[in-house]
Amino acid sequence: MPGDYDGDGKTDLAVWRPSDGKWWIINSSTGQSWNVAWGWSNDIPVPGDYDGDGKTDIALYRPADGSWKGLYSSNWNWWSIAWGNPGDVPVPGDYDGDGKTDLAVWRPSSGMWYVNNSTTGQSSSTQYGLQGDVPVPGDYNGDGLTDLAVWRPSTGNWYVYTTPQAWSGIQWGFPTDVPVVKGSAANVSRPGPRLAHKFAPHLHFDSAAPNFPMG
């Protein structure tokens, strides 16, 4: 689960361990490693900058009930928001360009994208993609907004939706390939019902741990 967890502008090495729900992170600025228990074994990790402080926040999506649960890196307060239905695929991104990660899901059965904009709190929905596609959102045109996009395994085609009047398609890849985009690991399912931790985080640093407020 790579991301800029220490805010130094460099991507930090990070993994999430489904067996115990722990995140293991090495800060690139100091080389210090730390871990936090956050999530169940069947959750899907969805790290992103949800509070807009320039640091990646620890967060997960729970497919069983469509809830998002995260830890703000700015103050280590936890949050929980319901956005999605069982079977939806989490596709977080900055869809409104405010520097914060927005909650979003893609519904495979209908190809619908449902986005909750962090700036206004308003939601939007757009149909883009077919059942069997893989959602691959990203800023493909460099305008600072996350674009809707899907990869079609049957043909290896990428389809990018930038505006209602503009979309593009390109063939790149074979049916057995895996599309690689920023945050693509979030689309990997995590089977198994074992509970690792539900809400209050437990932080551990290799050296002396600072006293974090938990809210």
Side-chain angles (χ1 to χ4, degrees):
M1 297 297 107
D4 186 8
Y5 293 88
D6 54 6
D8 67 347
K10 299 178 181 179
T11 300
D12 305 316
L13 305 183
V15 297
W16 181 69
R17 191 160 293 161
S19 61
D20 59 10
K22 282 190 176 182
W23 299 65
W24 294 85
I25 299 167
I26 300 177
N27 289 341
S28 58
S29 57
T30 62
Q32 184 185 51
S33 65
W34 55 284
N35 69 77
V36 55
W38 188 256
W40 297 0
S41 59
N42 57 342
D43 290 338
I44 299 175
V46 286
D49 187 3
Y50 294 90
D51 55 4
D53 67 347
K55 298 179 181 180
T56 299
D57 305 320
I58 289 172
L60 55 85
Y61 174 74
R62 187 155 294 163
D65 60 10
S67 64
W68 300 63
K69 304 177 190 298
L71 297 169
Y72 289 131
S73 57
S74 56
N75 54 22
W76 289 100
N77 287 336
W78 65 267
W79 52 273
S80 178
I81 300 175
W83 189 258
N85 293 331
D88 288 349
V89 178
V91 284
D94 187 6
Y95 293 88
D96 54 9
D98 66 348
K100 297 180 181 180
T101 301
D102 306 314
L103 309 186
V105 296
W106 183 71
R107 190 156 294 163
S109 60
S110 62
M112 292 294 296
W113 297 68
Y114 297 94
V115 180
N116 186 354
N117 290 332
S118 56
T119 298
T120 63
Q122 295 180 341
S123 61
S124 62
S125 60
T126 305
Q127 197 285 327
Y128 197 69
L130 303 176
Q131 191 167 20
D133 289 347
V134 178
V136 285
D139 184 7
Y140 290 89
N141 59 358
D143 65 352
L145 304 175
T146 297
D147 304 313
L148 311 185
V150 296
W151 183 71
R152 191 156 294 161
S154 60
T155 61
N157 284 339
W158 297 66
Y159 297 98
V160 179
Y161 177 102
T162 51
T163 70
Q165 293 76 34
W167 64 273
S168 60
I170 184 173
Q171 197 284 329
W172 188 253
F174 296 120
T176 54
D177 290 343
V178 176
V180 180
V181 295
K182 183 178 181 181
S184 61
N187 294 333
V188 178
S189 61
R190 303 291 182 181
R194 179 174 175 175
L195 170 67
H197 201 277
K198 192 169 184 180
F199 286 125
H202 294 294
L203 291 160
H204 172 73
F205 285 76
D206 284 354
S207 58
N211 184 20
F212 282 99
M214 296 304 175

